[in-house]
Amino acid sequence: MQNGPKYAISKEGVIKLVVIALACTTFALLADANYYLYGRKGRMEWVFAAFIISFAISLLLYIFRITGAADSMSTCGPCTFDGFDFLWSWFSTMWCLAAAVVFALEFNVSSRSPIFAKVLSSIILAFVTAIMYGVEAHQLRSRAPAHLGYISTRKGWLKTALVALGAAAFGLLVDSGFLTCRASCGQAIMYVLVAYVVGWVGTVIIWFLHIIGVIKADNRRTFATVEFSWSVICILLFLSGSIVSGVFLHKQCDGNYNNRTYRGLLCQQRLSSVIVAAINAALYIVDAVLNKPAT
């Protein structure tokens, strides 16, 4: 990749500049509306910090490249400056996407509020920023360090999405206060939680083995049988979990149980968990198809 003033007009340079502008606008709108002070347990502060950190590091990388300083900089081990640039883009994709999801879940502003438009625009920009970081990581995928190029492939992105959504599914379930269920409800929700966690842990292990290079190109076809089998198991785990959780969600949040409705925060979190788990089950079907052993 060419550094110096010409980097500014290169495809990589334009993409990074767009990412910087989007991240800056996202947290600027949050700051202007003071919405980063809202939310529970400092979550909006974390969202605010996520976009500031991503913006700051990306801006530094851009400055290093456009001034030519990147040519004289070295990094630790086999990771080059280009490799670090890829890793930061990939990490920021996950980081900003997680922050955008949390932001959307924490959104609770009346349409009559004077900050409604700013906060809603910030949420939209948050997702767009995460997508653009993904575009940048895909653009830099050929410069990834050894083995880490897997995470920018089609299967790698899919596996990463499964890991992220799996964590979101059981995280939202835990956050929704599942321990408040009693008797059969408590047993059912505990099954759902275990199903999500087991599916997530197994997927993380497979994902990690790909990243560290244990699963290499020469044995990937053999391991595809294991991945295919695990994807089928996870389809059953997440699909059954979302169905069971959805049934008890309706019983608890239909307005006839402790005066709870779907407008309540806990019910919204439980509903979000059901939706995320169902999406994850659908993605596991795609993963199973991609890893189907050759006959």
Side-chain angles (χ1 to χ4, degrees):
M1 186 185 302
Q2 188 175 18
N3 296 314
K6 290 185 178 180
Y7 173 75
I9 58 175
S10 67
K11 182 185 296 184
E12 293 86 356
V14 172
I15 292 175
K16 188 174 289 295
L17 190 61
V18 170
V19 165
I20 290 171
L22 287 170
C24 179
T25 306
T26 299
F27 75 75
L29 287 172
L30 270 175
D32 188 49
N34 285 329
Y35 195 72
Y36 65 94
L37 299 175
Y38 290 53
R40 297 169 297 115
K41 300 178 182 178
R43 293 181 187 179
M44 285 309 304
E45 287 92 334
W46 176 78
V47 171
F48 188 58
F51 287 98
I52 289 181
I53 293 172
S54 293
F55 161 78
I57 300 300
S58 296
L59 180 61
L60 282 176
L61 294 175
Y62 184 81
I63 293 174
F64 290 152
R65 284 199 180 279
I66 204 169
T67 59
D71 292 329
S72 59
M73 297 179 68
S74 60
T75 54
C76 299
C79 184
T80 62
F81 188 91
D82 288 347
F84 178 80
D85 200 0
F86 162 79
L87 289 176
W88 181 253
S89 298
W90 178 85
F91 171 78
S92 293
T93 304
M94 300 297 104
W95 176 252
C96 291
L97 182 59
V101 171
V102 171
F103 192 178
L105 291 173
E106 291 291 324
F107 179 67
N108 186 23
V109 180
S110 171
S111 58
R112 298 180 179 179
S113 173
I115 66 171
F116 176 81
K118 291 180 182 178
V119 178
L120 183 60
S121 298
S122 188
I123 292 177
I124 295 172
L125 287 174
F127 281 101
V128 174
T129 301
I131 292 172
M132 286 305 301
Y133 265 120
V135 171
E136 183 182 30
H138 182 74
Q139 187 67 32
L140 298 172
R141 66 190 184 281
S142 62
R143 305 177 187 277
H147 308 312
L148 291 178
Y150 167 78
I151 59 180
S152 65
T153 64
R154 180 176 57 180
K155 291 183 179 180
W157 276 115
L158 179 58
K159 196 74 73 181
T160 302
L162 291 171
V163 170
L165 290 174
F170 73 75
L172 286 166
L173 184 61
V174 172
D175 211 29
S176 68
F178 72 100
L179 293 175
T180 58
C181 290
R182 297 180 181 179
S184 60
C185 175
Q187 297 171 5
I189 297 302
M190 185 58 69
Y191 160 76
V192 175
L193 180 62
V194 172
Y196 290 170
V197 172
V198 169
W200 178 77
V201 170
T203 303
V204 168
I205 292 173
I206 294 174
W207 180 71
F208 187 68
L209 291 177
H210 275 290
I211 290 179
I212 63 177
V214 173
I215 304 174
K216 299 180 180 179
D218 54 355
N219 65 354
R220 192 165 291 171
R221 176 173 295 182
T222 302
F223 198 80
T225 303
V226 177
E227 285 197 72
F228 171 77
S229 300
W230 183 250
S231 295
V232 172
I233 292 173
C234 286
I235 292 170
L236 299 176
L237 289 174
F238 279 91
L239 187 59
S240 63
S242 63
I243 293 173
V244 171
S245 184
V247 169
F248 284 94
L249 170 71
H250 178 68
K251 292 176 64 176
Q252 284 194 299
C253 299
D254 63 355
N256 297 319
Y257 181 82
N258 288 345
N259 295 321
R260 292 181 180 176
T261 67
Y262 284 104
R263 293 184 179 181
L265 178 61
L266 297 183
C267 289
Q268 287 180 349
Q269 289 176 329
R270 184 75 59 81
L271 178 61
S272 299
S273 176
V274 172
I275 294 173
V276 169
I279 294 173
N280 220 26
L283 290 180
Y284 271 113
I285 295 175
V286 178
D287 191 56
V289 172
L290 292 178
N291 289 295
K292 183 179 179 181
T295 56

